[in-house]
Amino acid sequence: MRREPRVLAALLLAALLALAGCSNVPLERPPVQPPVDDAALAGVTLVVGDQRGGSQSLLRAAGLLDDLPYRVQWRTFTSGPPLIEAARAGAIDLGGTGNTPVIFAAAAKARVQIVSANRGNVESDAILVRDDSPLRSAAELRGKRVAVAKGSSAHGQLLYTLRAAGLALDDVDLTFLAPADAFAAFQQGDVDAWAVWDPYTTQAELDGARIIADGEGTANGYGFQVASNAALAEPARSAAVADLLARIAAAQAYSDTHREQRAQMWSEETKLPIEVTRRAVGRGPDQPIPLDDDVVASQQALADAFSDAGVIPGRADFAAFVDRRFERSTLDAARDGIPGTPTDTRGGAR
């Protein structure tokens, strides 16, 4: 069975009303939004930013892109920073990213809000070297050329990893490259090491790369969904955002018990070899978590580390960009699934 649009709209409104008091939203956005009727929701086209093998394949693997009460237009980005920039410019309504791009967004006072959180494995947040490299640890990276996508989660992981090894970002020769360009430079020996995340970590490993450091003991593993202020200001689009966030959370929970299904869809949509997606999924899929004070404190610590390193001028206030209005409905969906879909754990479709 499928959830009727009128019921969906009522549920979304209830969630918005209940959680409005938890939101750190700009004053120009009303804390309580008017009801959204079926026709208004049906008229929404939600523009969603995605990364390689991200939300679209995750939702498709869980059967959660069927019979949506609104339309979704997907736009693919190479990493979090350009996705955040698109949200900031209002070119997308919603998108998923790692822990560091949202810090740069907060530092720039971007017109976006962080609307949900998840935690993934930290094993794939790695610094790689080629198999023939003499480098064996992060402490040996002093003076070496290290490729990384600027402002990405790998940038934050590199900062923390170097700090744990007694080094700073200034102690290495940073080469800022998007993942595809970094992969080519890494393979050709133009850089000594590469800081990156999955599926690139797994792909490089299967091509013979070695991990000399991962996120164990340093990375928080957080990822976030970020919404543009413009999308949250419109009741119909905000209702669509609420519904898609719930579906993403349900799909994340579902993927943990259906890893082969997730790997197959990820491979199909990205053309990555199934060996890559199986190994990446096997490390542990992202799982929804509360967007709570612990998350905010961990992110603020990372923001402060970037400030101390001179990468971010001044101090970013991470909490000012956290909007918790969707937290309850998102976590409920992660626990119970979406009624009438394969994720439903309350006796619905299986």
Side-chain angles (χ1 to χ4, degrees):
M1 74 185 211
R2 60 175 290 192
R3 179 183 293 182
E4 292 298 325
R6 193 174 300 279
V7 175
L8 173 67
L11 289 172
L12 294 174
L13 176 62
L16 292 174
L17 292 172
L19 293 171
C22 300
S23 175
N24 296 312
V25 297
L27 292 176
E28 65 265 22
R29 189 186 324 140
V32 178
Q33 303 183 80
V36 175
D37 61 28
D38 300 346
L41 197 59
V44 170
T45 296
L46 204 62
V47 184
V48 182
D50 204 10
Q51 297 187 51
R52 194 178 191 190
S55 299
Q56 186 174 11
S57 64
L58 176 76
L59 289 162
R60 200 174 301 283
L64 291 179
L65 285 182
D66 301 327
D67 299 322
L68 290 175
Y70 47 87
R71 292 180 296 279
V72 173
Q73 182 181 106
W74 297 95
R75 293 189 181 172
T76 303
F77 295 84
T78 58
S79 60
L83 185 152
I84 289 282
E85 184 56 35
R88 178 183 184 182
I92 63 171
D93 300 311
L94 184 71
T97 183
N99 61 0
T100 301
V102 289
I103 286 170
F104 280 70
K109 295 181 171 56
R111 294 183 58 78
V112 299
Q113 291 288 302
I114 298 149
V115 290
S116 73
N118 58 263
R119 179 186 285 118
N121 78 86
V122 294
E123 180 186 350
S124 60
D125 294 329
I127 299 176
L128 303 168
V129 296
R130 291 178 302 282
D131 189 50
D132 60 356
S133 171
L135 300 175
R136 297 289 167 181
S137 70
E140 300 173 59
L141 290 173
R142 186 185 297 273
K144 303 300 183 183
R145 295 191 68 191
V146 181
V148 65
K150 186 175 184 178
S152 69
S153 61
H155 197 177
Q157 179 53 30
L158 179 61
L159 183 152
Y160 269 173
T161 300
L162 291 173
R163 190 169 71 173
L167 301 175
L169 289 174
D170 288 342
D171 291 322
V172 301
D173 182 5
L174 290 181
T175 301
F176 292 124
L177 294 171
D181 295 330
F183 194 18
F186 180 76
Q187 288 181 312
Q188 293 164 10
D190 294 334
V191 295
D192 299 299
W194 180 24
V196 74
W197 61 92
D198 260 337
Y200 305 103
T201 298
T202 296
Q203 190 173 12
E205 278 190 288
L206 292 176
D207 283 344
R210 281 189 293 110
I211 292 178
I212 61 169
D214 62 23
E216 288 292 341
T218 53
N220 60 26
Y222 294 149
F224 300 94
Q225 291 290 325
V226 177
S228 72
N229 285 11
L232 295 176
E234 292 183 17
R237 271 201 292 170
S238 185
V241 166
D243 180 69
L244 195 62
L245 288 175
R247 289 171 184 266
I248 289 170
Q252 287 171 334
Y254 181 81
S255 70
D256 195 30
T257 54
H258 296 76
R259 296 190 183 191
E260 178 62 19
Q261 190 172 325
R262 166 69 174 129
Q264 290 283 352
M265 184 58 69
W266 193 354
S267 174
E268 180 181 319
E269 292 214 346
T270 62
K271 310 307 179 188
L272 284 166
I274 188 64
E275 294 81 4
V276 171
T277 57
R278 277 191 183 130
R279 185 165 174 174
V281 171
R283 297 186 198 268
D286 294 346
Q287 293 298 291
I289 59 171
L291 190 50
D292 59 18
D293 291 345
D294 288 342
V295 170
V296 172
S298 180
Q299 286 294 110
Q300 187 62 52
L302 181 56
D304 291 344
F306 270 108
S307 293
D308 293 342
V311 178
I312 293 175
R315 296 282 167 177
D317 183 2
F318 187 80
F321 292 85
V322 172
D323 186 330
R324 299 181 61 188
R325 73 174 75 181
F326 306 116
E327 184 177 58
R328 185 72 270 147
S329 57
T330 298
L331 295 177
D332 286 348
R335 183 192 64 226
D336 300 327
I338 303 298
T341 74
T343 69
D344 191 351
T345 61
R346 296 170 291 189
R350 304 298 298 166

